[in-house]
Coordinates of all heavy atoms in Angstrom, one line a residue:
Chain A
F175 N -13.7 17.7 -6.7 CA -13.2 17.9 -5.3 C -13.4 19.4 -4.9 O -13.0 19.7 -3.7 CB -11.7 17.6 -5.3 CG -11.3 16.2 -5.5 CD1 -10.1 15.8 -6.0 CD2 -12.3 15.2 -5.2 CE1 -9.8 14.5 -6.2 CE2 -11.9 13.8 -5.5 CZ -10.7 13.5 -6.0
D176 N -13.9 20.2 -5.8 CA -14.0 21.6 -5.6 C -13.9 22.2 -4.2 O -14.7 21.9 -3.3 CB -15.4 22.1 -6.2 CG -15.5 23.6 -6.3 OD1 -14.5 24.2 -6.7 OD2 -16.5 24.1 -5.8
N177 N -12.9 22.9 -3.9 CA -12.8 23.7 -2.7 C -11.7 24.8 -2.9 O -10.9 24.8 -3.8 CB -12.4 22.8 -1.5 CG -11.1 22.1 -1.7 OD1 -10.0 22.7 -1.7 ND2 -11.2 20.8 -1.8
E178 N -11.8 25.8 -2.0 CA -11.0 27.0 -2.1 C -9.5 26.8 -2.3 O -8.8 27.3 -3.1 CB -11.3 27.9 -0.9 CG -10.8 29.4 -1.1 CD -11.3 30.0 -2.4 OE1 -12.5 30.0 -2.7 OE2 -10.4 30.5 -3.1
I179 N -9.0 25.8 -1.4 CA -7.6 25.6 -1.4 C -7.1 24.9 -2.6 O -6.1 25.3 -3.2 CB -7.2 24.7 -0.1 CG1 -7.6 25.4 1.1 CG2 -5.7 24.3 -0.1 CD1 -7.5 24.6 2.4
L180 N -7.9 23.9 -3.1 CA -7.5 23.2 -4.3 C -7.5 24.1 -5.5 O -6.6 24.0 -6.4 CB -8.5 22.0 -4.5 CG -8.3 21.1 -5.8 CD1 -7.0 20.3 -5.6 CD2 -9.4 20.2 -6.0
R181 N -8.4 25.0 -5.5 CA -8.5 25.9 -6.7 C -7.3 26.8 -6.9 O -7.0 27.3 -8.0 CB -9.8 26.8 -6.5 CG -10.9 26.4 -7.5 CD -12.1 27.2 -7.3 NE -13.0 26.5 -6.3 CZ -13.6 27.2 -5.3 NH1 -13.5 28.4 -5.1 NH2 -14.4 26.5 -4.5
Q182 N -6.5 27.0 -5.9 CA -5.2 27.8 -6.0 C -4.2 27.1 -7.0 O -3.5 27.7 -7.7 CB -4.5 28.0 -4.7 CG -5.4 28.5 -3.5 CD -5.9 29.9 -3.7 OE1 -5.2 30.7 -4.3 NE2 -7.1 30.1 -3.3
Q183 N -4.3 25.7 -7.0 CA -3.4 25.0 -7.8 C -2.0 25.3 -7.9 O -1.4 25.4 -8.9 CB -4.0 25.0 -9.3 CG -5.3 24.2 -9.4 CD -5.6 24.0 -10.9 OE1 -4.8 23.6 -11.7 NE2 -6.8 24.2 -11.3
G184 N -1.4 25.6 -6.7 CA 0.0 25.7 -6.6 C 0.7 24.4 -6.5 O 0.1 23.3 -6.6
D185 N 2.1 24.4 -6.4 CA 2.8 23.1 -6.2 C 2.4 22.5 -4.9 O 2.5 21.2 -4.8 CB 4.3 23.3 -6.4 CG 4.7 23.2 -7.8 OD1 4.1 22.5 -8.6 OD2 5.7 23.9 -8.2
S186 N 2.1 23.3 -3.9 CA 1.6 22.8 -2.7 C 0.3 23.4 -2.3 O 0.0 24.5 -2.7 CB 2.6 23.2 -1.6 OG 3.9 22.6 -1.8

Side-chain angles (χ1 to χ4, degrees):
Chain A
F175 296 155
D176 190 45
N177 59 67
E178 195 47 55
I179 299 170
L180 183 65
R181 251 175 270 136
Q182 311 293 326
Q183 289 193 47
D185 271 330
S186 302

